[in-house]
Amino acid sequence: MWLGGAFGGGFGFFEAGGQFVDVAAGDEYGADVEGEDEYQQPFGEGLPAHDGGSGKGANEDEHEPGGEAGAGAMGFAATVEKEDAGAGGDGQGGGDGVLANLGTGAMEAGRMALSIGTSGAVRLPTDKPFIDPEMRTQCYHLMDNQYLKLGAVNNGAIVLQWLKESILKTDESFEELFKQAETIPAGSEGLLFVPYLLGERAPIWDASAQGTLLGIQIIHTKAHFIRATLEGILFGLLSITEILLPNPEERHKITIMASGGFGKSELWLQMVADIFQMKVIVAETIEASAWGAVLIGFKATDITVPSENKVGKSFLPNKNSKEIYEQSFKKFKKIYSLLKDI
């Protein structure tokens, strides 16, 4: 009999009396598991409070540099075979992130997963292990020759929630805030936000990192601050993507499969396309990690299922925004190193 379940932020399938495989059974988003509240909830209904720690002094299973997620921090499969196995056969399992890629169809060549909930991640499939010489990213194993090279950030939509509740102190919905941000041109007219409010994981791995707001002028309004926040969160994810896909020409051939709560905002999705200069498709698989666990279980039992994945709208990059975002991103990458020792 085959059973499935979730454990420690990961999912697994095993055959009673057979083998058990635990592949990176950790939660790359800290306390937030893909498919839960912040992923299915429209922004207008608010984002959930983040109860996974601040990243400063948090334990290693959550946001502290040193591991994306507890038991699976090294990112490779651990296979345990019971010596007294009776029925034979073997099982498959994985962490929520790698299974979300599978569940949304983002394990295919030419696709990259980008998720933003309370935190965020970028995950790119590859057919062999990838180890960054500077140790800025991670690598997970799914099965056979299927791997994911990836990076996760602490500072996703929780930064937007902080702006709304702690700085703007407004009861306006996120939809209303986005409408205001839409009135501001790309680049926020020089306002640049490095949103390291919770320290940061990839690519800098610094629990003491702090946020920085640069270039404030008398012309800047509430709408500028909202847009700069949205842009800053994406610049953080782009800094990981640049490591995973260092060749810009090759990068632009890859399609981003977007998932998470931010997929409710067409403005933010278009900003992804413009900042990354990559095509974006919205993945609409419900409970992507759980569906990925089901798919891997089917494979282990030789059950064939359709490989089609539900997708939504597509967004193409606006070439008119390319130069301004490139200039902003160059500044973004310099700020942390310039200010970290002050």
Side-chain angles (χ1 to χ4, degrees):
M1 176 175 66
W2 284 81
L3 305 173
F7 47 93
F11 295 82
F13 277 81
F14 62 92
E15 185 177 11
Q19 297 177 332
F20 176 75
V21 180
D22 172 7
V23 188
D27 168 17
E28 73 189 41
Y29 304 106
D32 307 309
V33 177
E34 176 142 12
E36 293 192 357
D37 289 355
E38 78 277 14
Y39 283 88
Q40 307 304 327
Q41 188 176 38
F43 273 109
E45 296 177 17
L47 291 169
H50 183 76
D51 59 358
S54 70
K56 300 181 180 181
N59 66 42
E60 189 170 284
D61 288 358
E62 292 169 351
H63 295 305
E64 188 74 3
E68 182 177 356
M74 292 299 293
F76 295 98
T79 304
V80 180
E81 182 174 352
K82 294 183 179 179
E83 294 183 1
D84 61 347
D90 52 31
Q92 307 282 344
D96 63 326
V98 67
L99 291 175
N101 265 58
L102 183 63
T104 57
M107 287 303 297
E108 300 175 14
R111 291 186 172 184
M112 181 183 79
L114 187 151
S115 302
I116 303 177
T118 304
S119 51
V122 177
R123 304 183 296 267
L124 183 72
T126 179
D127 60 2
K128 56 186 176 183
F130 172 82
I131 299 178
D132 175 42
E134 298 181 43
M135 302 295 287
R136 295 167 295 178
T137 60
Q138 298 147 274
C139 184
Y140 278 6
H141 179 237
L142 177 62
M143 56 184 170
D144 303 327
N145 65 338
Q146 292 183 300
Y147 297 84
L148 280 179
K149 50 184 182 178
L150 61 105
V153 299
N154 294 341
N155 299 284
I158 193 171
V159 178
L160 187 63
Q161 182 179 354
W162 164 82
L163 179 72
K164 177 180 183 291
E165 296 177 356
S166 299
I167 304 301
L168 301 180
K169 298 184 182 298
T170 178
D171 292 328
E172 294 171 288
S173 69
F174 284 102
E175 284 90 345
E176 291 171 318
L177 298 183
F178 288 158
K179 286 179 182 178
Q180 295 173 43
E182 198 167 8
T183 66
I184 305 302
S188 300
E189 296 189 297
L191 186 62
L192 183 62
F193 185 28
V194 180
Y196 296 159
L197 304 187
L198 297 168
E200 192 53 286
R201 286 181 283 174
I204 63 171
W205 296 102
D206 184 355
S208 299
Q210 299 176 348
T212 303
L213 196 59
L214 186 72
I216 306 174
Q217 302 177 60
I218 196 71
I219 64 169
H220 291 139
T221 65
K222 171 184 169 185
H224 286 87
F225 284 89
I226 299 167
R227 185 172 188 112
T229 299
L230 298 175
E231 292 175 343
I233 293 168
L234 295 182
F235 285 146
L237 291 165
L238 179 58
S239 65
I240 297 170
T241 304
E242 206 176 40
I243 299 168
L244 304 180
L245 291 166
N247 185 329
E249 296 304 317
E250 292 300 315
R251 190 188 314 154
H252 301 328
K253 298 176 184 177
I254 304 295
T255 296
I256 293 175
M257 302 298 294
S259 65
F262 89 114
K264 307 293 183 182
S265 167
E266 292 193 6
L267 170 64
W268 214 356
L269 290 163
Q270 184 61 54
M271 289 171 63
V272 174
D274 295 345
I275 288 174
F276 286 67
Q277 285 294 298
M278 298 165 69
K279 180 180 179 180
V280 176
I281 296 177
V282 181
E284 293 190 342
T285 302
I286 303 301
E287 301 289 358
S289 295
W291 179 236
V294 171
L295 291 177
I296 205 171
F298 283 155
K299 176 178 172 59
T301 52
D302 295 322
I303 297 175
T304 302
V305 294
S307 58
E308 297 178 0
N309 297 95
K310 186 177 180 182
V311 296
K313 288 187 176 181
S314 298
F315 298 83
L316 298 176
N318 181 348
K319 300 300 181 184
N320 294 331
S321 301
K322 182 175 184 292
E323 185 176 354
I324 185 65
Y325 277 137
E326 285 179 348
Q327 293 173 355
S328 296
F329 184 54
K330 285 180 182 178
K331 293 179 183 178
F332 179 94
K333 290 188 291 182
K334 292 178 181 178
I335 293 171
Y336 166 74
S337 58
L338 288 173
L339 300 181
K340 67 177 180 178
D341 294 326
I342 294 179

